[in-house]
Amino acid sequence: MIDYHVHTYLCDHASGTPGDYIEKALKARLFEIGFSDHAPLPEHLRNDITMEPEETEIYCSMLEGIKDKYPIAVKIGFEVDYPLHPTFDTQYFHDNRIDYMIGSCHFIDGWAFDHPLFVDEYNKRDINQVYRDYYNIVFDMVNSGLFDIIGHFDLVKKFGYRATVDLTDHILPIVKLAGKQATAIEINTSGLRKPVKEIYPSYDIIKLMFENNVPITLGSDAHAPEEVAYNFYDALLLIKRAGYKKIAGYSKRKQYSIIL
Ligand SMILES: [Zn+2]
Ligand SMILES: [Zn+2]
């Protein structure tokens, strides 16, 4: 199995060195581990969420320096906020050290909606509009064609605030577009550690993804070494139940298939 979403201490809200994460991946008998730490945000948004612009190169060379030292394939990626910010050099989209780019939406018009410090904002807004705004950004993100993988597809449910209307008309066009472009959507187990206690995306969305030929990857979103491969058994059951028989891997931004 593979884990394509793990962080490092550089983002200031995760612990452990890359070596610690790799050691845990070996214990969990993974055959690939992919780092996708938070690409730098501008200072006013950073709030201990991402690495600093000067650390981008440190991150890449740190991983380049150790990737061949372990009996496991080590992939180098980034988790990049969409829309893009000038603090992340777009050259990295064309850098042949990079295996994949995860696109994620953590902000709705400047509100860090998945940050525990700003949860109260959910009580001040129309929850259905929050979901619509979120999915509009995710649509644009997939449509940009910049990313190999879409991170935690329904992250807006993290704290358990649920839309009260059916959002299929917002979700289906994104899923169809991802299928057409072969943009993968990750199955992210970190939701199981959050108040929502559910994998991202929900089973209903995973079924829609399978019906529309959307490739998937698997990620724990580990922010500590012991979270590598977190609850992957549950994730496997879910994706197999939805019909998936393979997942996607990436090397230098080329997709390949891994049979489950
Ligand atoms: Zn994080
Ligand atoms: Zn994220």
Side-chain angles (χ1 to χ4, degrees):
M1 202 31 62
I2 68 171
D3 188 340
Y4 266 25
H5 195 149
V6 313
H7 291 271
T8 75
Y9 65 87
L10 284 176
C11 66
D12 286 340
H13 63 279
S15 59
T17 65
D20 299 332
Y21 288 83
I22 295 170
E23 293 291 351
K24 177 64 209 297
L26 287 167
K27 277 202 195 104
R29 301 188 183 189
L30 303 186
F31 47 83
E32 293 187 16
I33 180 165
F35 289 85
S36 51
D37 211 356
H38 296 282
L41 282 170
E43 200 168 359
H44 69 284
L45 295 173
R46 207 175 298 141
N47 266 321
D48 292 343
I49 296 173
T50 73
M51 64 181 80
E52 292 174 25
E54 311 76 63
E55 290 173 320
T56 322
E57 215 23 62
I58 296 171
Y59 170 72
C60 290
S61 46
M62 173 169 82
L63 293 173
E64 278 279 307
I66 60 158
K67 64 183 290 192
D68 297 325
K69 295 192 171 141
Y70 295 89
I72 182 172
V74 176
K75 306 286 179 161
I76 308 178
F78 279 99
E79 180 181 17
V80 184
D81 275 86
Y82 188 85
L84 301 183
H85 295 274
T87 36
F88 185 53
D89 190 339
T90 50
Q91 278 298 94
Y92 287 102
F93 284 96
H94 312 285
D95 186 321
N96 75 357
R97 294 172 298 178
I98 303 302
D99 293 302
Y100 58 87
M101 288 290 192
I102 298 181
S104 289
C105 169
H106 303 102
F107 293 88
I108 297 170
D109 57 52
W111 168 37
F113 66 85
D114 81 319
H115 199 300
L117 278 179
F118 309 113
V119 179
D120 198 37
E121 183 73 12
Y122 281 94
N123 299 311
K124 299 179 183 156
R125 297 197 182 203
D126 170 353
I127 189 64
N128 295 326
Q129 196 54 43
V130 168
Y131 272 75
R132 287 187 202 104
D133 290 346
Y134 172 76
Y135 282 123
N136 286 339
I137 299 167
V138 176
F139 181 88
D140 291 345
M141 176 162 69
V142 176
N143 198 32
S144 75
L146 284 167
F147 303 103
D148 305 295
I149 303 164
I150 301 307
H152 40 57
F153 185 86
D154 54 357
L155 178 66
V156 68
K157 71 183 178 186
K158 175 173 176 175
F159 296 110
Y161 294 85
R162 299 283 195 171
T164 57
V165 294
D166 180 40
L167 289 158
T168 310
D169 61 333
H170 275 68
I171 292 167
L172 190 57
I174 308 173
V175 168
K176 281 188 184 297
L177 182 61
K180 203 170 124 208
Q181 296 179 173
T183 303
I185 294 176
E186 71 168 4
I187 307 300
N188 182 316
T189 57
S190 73
L192 293 167
R193 306 192 293 268
K194 308 298 179 194
V196 69
K197 295 266 181 283
E198 200 180 278
I199 281 176
Y200 307 116
S202 67
Y203 181 62
D204 287 349
I205 297 175
I206 298 175
K207 273 196 304 191
L208 274 187
M209 286 158 47
F210 179 72
E211 286 160 13
N212 288 280
N213 300 313
V214 179
I216 52 171
T217 59
L218 193 54
S220 63
D221 216 336
H223 284 72
E226 57 271 21
E227 290 170 352
V228 170
Y230 180 82
N231 272 30
F232 272 14
Y233 183 74
D234 290 17
L236 272 175
L237 285 182
L238 216 55
I239 59 185
K240 284 189 170 173
R241 182 144 63 95
Y244 279 99
K245 294 189 172 57
K246 58 182 186 183
I247 60 173
Y250 291 85
S251 207
K252 298 191 186 297
R253 307 206 61 197
K254 292 265 185 299
Q255 190 186 78
Y256 54 88
S257 289
I258 299 162
I259 307 299
L260 287 173

